[in-house]
Every structure is written in C-alpha cells, then in structure tokens.
Amino acid sequence: MKFGLPNVNLLNKEKKKIGSLDVSEVSIQNKENIELSEKKSSIRSRKRNFQELIHLRTTVNVTALESLRGCKKTIQFNRYTVCHNCTSAKKRCLRKFKDVNSESNVDTDTKSNKAQCNVCEGCKKILKPDQVSFTVPMGVSTGKELVINGRGDNDLEGDVGDLIVFFKVEPHPQFHRKGNHALVRVILPYSSYMLGCSVSVPTLYNGNFCLDLPPFRFPHGTVMNLSQIGFYDPDTQKFGDMRLVFVYDSPLDPKEFALLQILQSSFTI
C-alpha cells in the first residue's frame, strides 16, 4: 500500500491561522489594557484640572521697607461656597417630586426649573466676600508665593481649594536688587578720586558706616564687594552681598580745571 505524504502548504496555512488567532487574542487584551489605562489617566487629569479650578490666585503689592523687615497684611477677596439653602432643602424637594410624579405624569426637569433656589438660582454655589490675614516674610522678592490652605473655592463634593498669594515688591529708592545682592552707586566728585576722602555708605539693616578711600585707588566704575550685608533670602535664610559701584563726576568746574592746568605745568620738565 502506498501512503501519501502530507501536504506541506496545508500545514503551513493551519499554522498561520492558529498563529493569527493567538495574535488577535493578545491584541484584544492589549486594547483592553490600553483602554483601561486611558480611562485612569483621563480621571486623573480631570481631578488635576478640577483642583486647579478651585484654587484662587491673587497678587499683593509690598513696599520696599515692608519686604526688608516683614509685616502683616489683611486682604479681602471673593470665593465660591456651597449654597446651604440648596443642601438643606434637597431632601424635601426630592420627596415632593416623588409624590407628585406618582400622582401625575409630569417631567422632573420642568419642576426642577420651577423649584430653583432663590439664593443661588440653581447653581448650588454662592460668591461670598472673605478676608484673610497673613505674614509677609522678611526679604521677600517679586514672584515669591505664599499658599494659604483651605481658603479657595468650595466644591459640591466637599473639596476646598487653596489661596495662592503672589508678591510684587516695589523697587528700593537707593538699592538695586539683583538676586539677593544689593547694588549701590556711590557718586563722588573727581577731586575725591585724586585726593582721597571718607564716604558715608548706607546699608539695608545696620544704618550707615564710614568708608575711607585712598587717592587713586578706586577709579570710575570700580566695584567693591561687601559680604553678607545685602538682602535676606527667606528660603536659604542667608544674607546676600552689597556691591558699591564708584561713579565720579566727569565735568569739572573752571576753578578745578585751572588748578589741574597749574598742576600739569608743575610736572613738566
């Protein structure tokens, strides 16, 4: 008897079918996992966006002296709170709707519009004025923020946002702030550069101090660095540096110009 050999092409087709079925099952599982992950990510993003919505932001102006020493401030603002009139009358309204619907065929939407709250007009939220007191930290600069927990908008589910206070500091009349460093221009006559002098230099926290300048030592535009007497940083709790920039008046009086000519003639050989 002759036995025929199995057809190789048919076996390959069956293997391909089995393989395609396995791949399809895996792809279905992958799709389900991807859909679940997308749903979870969408829920998380909604929660984040919702938390951003119930937070309040405001800007507070601070003077230069207030930022140096720190102070206390009280601000007034408006925030949304849950309408207690709706929450207290919610059970009673639902009972009325059930009783009426059992007797007559009337839609609840039309009745809910008629039974809107007189206080919030169906929004379930009320905009109420509020005020809060806080302490401005010493050495605060423009752009710094202070978070006051629990003073934002209220949610219908019971969540409460935060109040974020941004500070805007006015520039100092004498000191220019660069980071935590204080820049001061020391303007002197040209004669003080040639003969030397003593200068009273102001500081931020310790009053004035006397600085002796020898002749021809600090030319125009020279910067002197004085460490740890600049602006205070509340984050690092350290002081910056104060930098003195020496500036000399270039124009001379006629008398000074005549004296310089006499001095120049005395050095000629």
Side-chain angles (χ1 to χ4, degrees), residues 18-36:
I18 294 168
S20 63
L21 289 173
D22 294 335
V23 171
S24 63
E25 289 177 359
V26 172
S27 64
I28 290 168
Q29 290 179 357
N30 291 331
K31 285 181 180 179
E32 290 178 354
N33 293 329
I34 291 168
E35 288 177 356
L36 289 173

Side-chain angles (χ1 to χ4, degrees), residues 174-175 184-188 197-203 206-213 226 242 244 246:
Q174 289 182 334
F175 300 93
V184 186
R185 293 182 65 190
V186 181
I187 301 174
L188 298 172
C197 64
S198 60
V199 185
S200 179
V201 179
T203 62
N206 299 321
N208 298 345
F209 72 96
C210 187
L211 180 64
D212 293 331
L213 300 178
L226 303 175
M242 188 172 73
L244 305 179
F246 294 97

Side-chain angles (χ1 to χ4, degrees), residues 37-215:
S37 62
E38 287 178 353
K39 286 181 181 178
K40 289 180 180 179
S41 63
S42 64
I43 291 168
R44 290 175 184 173
S45 64
R46 286 175 186 173
K47 286 183 178 179
R48 289 174 183 172
N49 293 329
F50 181 73
Q51 290 294 332
E52 290 178 357
L53 287 174
I54 62 178
H55 291 325
L56 294 178
R57 293 173 176 83
T58 184
T59 303
V60 176
N61 294 323
V62 181
T63 62
L65 295 177
E66 289 174 345
S67 66
L68 289 177
R69 302 291 180 181
C71 64
K72 291 183 179 180
K73 280 187 173 291
T74 301
I75 59 173
Q76 296 179 353
F77 60 98
N78 296 325
R79 68 190 187 103
Y80 282 100
T81 58
V82 178
C83 180
H84 297 288
N85 189 20
C86 291
T87 54
S88 62
K90 186 176 181 181
K91 295 181 180 179
R92 291 181 292 171
C93 293
L94 290 174
R95 288 175 184 173
K96 287 180 181 180
F97 292 156
K98 287 181 180 178
D99 295 338
V100 172
N101 288 328
S102 62
E103 294 176 358
S104 60
N105 295 324
V106 182
D107 295 335
T108 57
D109 295 333
T110 57
K111 292 192 174 182
S112 62
N113 291 328
K114 291 180 181 179
Q116 282 184 357
C117 178
N118 295 325
V119 180
C120 65
E121 296 180 356
C123 298
K124 298 182 181 180
K125 286 185 179 182
I126 305 173
L127 189 64
K128 285 187 176 181
D130 196 359
Q131 67 177 9
V132 63
S133 299
F134 57 90
T135 302
V136 178
M138 176 182 173
V140 69
S141 59
T142 300
K144 295 290 184 180
E145 62 181 31
L146 176 67
V147 179
I148 303 174
N149 297 323
R151 302 309 290 266
D153 289 337
N154 290 353
D155 177 25
L156 297 176
E157 297 178 358
D159 297 329
V160 184
D162 301 332
L163 176 64
I164 304 173
V165 180
F166 293 93
F167 296 105
K168 184 178 180 181
V169 182
E170 297 177 357
H172 198 278
Q174 289 182 334
F175 300 93
H176 176 69
R177 185 165 187 168
K178 189 176 182 181
N180 295 323
H181 303 306
L183 302 179
V184 186
R185 293 182 65 190
V186 181
I187 301 174
L188 298 172
Y190 189 75
S191 58
S192 61
Y193 168 69
M194 298 178 64
L195 303 174
C197 64
S198 60
V199 185
S200 179
V201 179
T203 62
L204 290 168
Y205 301 100
N206 299 321
N208 298 345
F209 72 96
C210 187
L211 180 64
D212 293 331
L213 300 178

